[in-house]
């Protein structure tokens, strides 16, 4: 929501400043033309040179305007596009807003994971398979990354407060293990059931198979 407001504000501010500058340039150009008519013929060249300045300023302000609008559009696209499509689960907008990414959305108006829904039955798509419920696994790599239980880094009193308010008091963040490495995760022996997009499960298993093949002795 804050990202959307920021993008709208930046675009509106750029448009207002562009409009005001265009009006000022038109007024200045009109004043310059009137002043030029009153001058002598020998000074007309210098007057024409002065008149070219606003034209260059107008072109520059137009470039700046479109740059600001493009930057605002790019920011809005990055904030919302990957979340709605379901291609990014490690970005700041959904991480800090606690938006649910797998198996449905907890947002009031914005859907998430649309590509998984649209291509769930399409065997030729990388997004096929929809979502997978992991009840248990013997995959070392999968267990070291998902669900990424970081609950132990939260103060026990904070977790107790969360549970008293009806929340589970758990904190999962598999991005830490995926980006930094499983060694960055605190040791815990809890086993959870969780949901993954099928393409993420395939990716982790492919990485594990490639690592096993690389470590296998050559006969």
């Amino acid at each position: 929501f804050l990202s959307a407001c920021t993008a709208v504000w930046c675009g509106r501010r750029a448009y207002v400043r562009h409009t005001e500058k265009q009006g000022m340039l038109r007024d200045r150009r009109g004043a310059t033309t009137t002043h030029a008519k009153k001058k002598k013929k020998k000074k007309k060249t210098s007057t024409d040179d002065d008149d070219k300045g606003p034209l260059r300023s107008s072109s520059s302000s137009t470039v700046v305007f479109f740059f600001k609008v493009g930057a605002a559009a790019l920011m809005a696209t990055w904030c919302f596009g990957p979340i709605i499509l379901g291609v990014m689960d490690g970005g700041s907008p959904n991480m800090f807003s606690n938006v649910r990414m797998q198996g449905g959305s907890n947002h009031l108006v914005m859907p998430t994971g649309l590509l998984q829904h649209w291509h769930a039955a399409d065997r030729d798509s990388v997004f096929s398979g929809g979502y997978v419920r992991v009840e248990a696994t013997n995959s070392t790599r999968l267990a070291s990354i998902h669900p990424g239980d970081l609950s132990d880094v939260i103060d026990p009193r904070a977790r107790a407060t969360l549970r008293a308010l009806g929340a589970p008091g758990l904190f999962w963040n598999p991005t830490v293990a995926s980006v930094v490495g499983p060694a960055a995760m605190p040791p815990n022996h809890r086993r959870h059931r969780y949901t993954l997009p099928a393409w993420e499960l395939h990716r982790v298993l492919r990485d594990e198979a490639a690592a096993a093949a690389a470590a296998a002795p050559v006969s």
Side-chain angles (χ1 to χ4, degrees):
F1 175 76
L2 291 177
S3 301
C5 291
T6 303
V8 172
W9 179 82
C10 290
R12 182 180 181 278
R13 185 168 179 267
Y15 175 76
V16 170
R17 293 187 63 182
H18 175 71
T19 304
E20 291 177 349
K21 186 172 293 186
Q22 291 292 332
M24 294 173 61
L25 292 174
R26 283 195 297 269
D27 295 340
R28 182 180 173 186
R29 186 180 293 108
T32 303
T33 304
T34 303
H35 182 65
K37 290 180 179 179
K38 297 179 181 180
K39 285 201 168 192
K40 294 180 180 180
K41 187 176 181 180
K42 64 180 180 179
K43 294 184 178 180
K44 186 175 181 180
T45 304
S46 62
T47 304
D48 293 339
D49 294 337
D50 293 338
D51 190 55
K52 293 179 181 178
L55 293 178
R56 289 195 296 268
S57 299
S58 176
S59 177
S60 176
S61 65
T62 302
V63 172
V64 172
F65 166 72
F66 282 108
F67 175 79
K68 291 181 178 180
V69 172
L74 181 62
M75 180 179 65
T77 301
W78 178 82
C79 289
F80 301 108
I83 297 175
I84 294 175
L85 295 177
V87 296
M88 182 177 70
D89 194 16
S92 298
N94 61 305
M95 179 171 60
F96 292 111
S97 61
N98 202 30
V99 173
R100 183 179 179 183
M101 294 292 295
Q102 289 93 26
S105 174
N106 58 355
H107 198 276
L108 291 177
V109 295
M110 186 177 70
T112 59
L114 291 182
L115 290 176
Q116 283 77 35
H117 291 290
W118 293 341
H119 299 281
D122 186 1
R123 294 180 177 271
D124 297 328
S125 173
V126 68
F127 299 103
S128 64
Y131 297 94
V132 177
R133 178 75 169 179
V134 180
E135 300 284 343
T137 180
N138 60 356
S139 168
T140 303
R141 184 171 182 82
L142 184 62
S144 66
I145 298 177
H146 294 283
D149 191 354
L150 291 173
S151 304
D152 291 336
V153 304
I154 302 178
D155 188 280
R157 293 171 297 179
R159 295 179 59 190
T161 302
L162 290 172
R163 286 193 292 267
L165 295 174
L170 299 174
F171 174 44
W172 294 355
N173 189 0
T175 306
V176 175
S178 298
V179 176
V180 182
M185 302 294 293
N188 67 76
H189 302 285
R190 291 187 293 268
R191 293 292 179 263
H192 303 284
R193 294 176 296 176
Y194 55 93
T195 304
L196 278 181
W199 61 266
E200 169 64 9
L201 179 63
H202 297 162
R203 184 191 68 81
V204 174
L205 296 180
R206 282 197 304 269
D207 291 346
E208 184 174 33
V218 178
S219 56

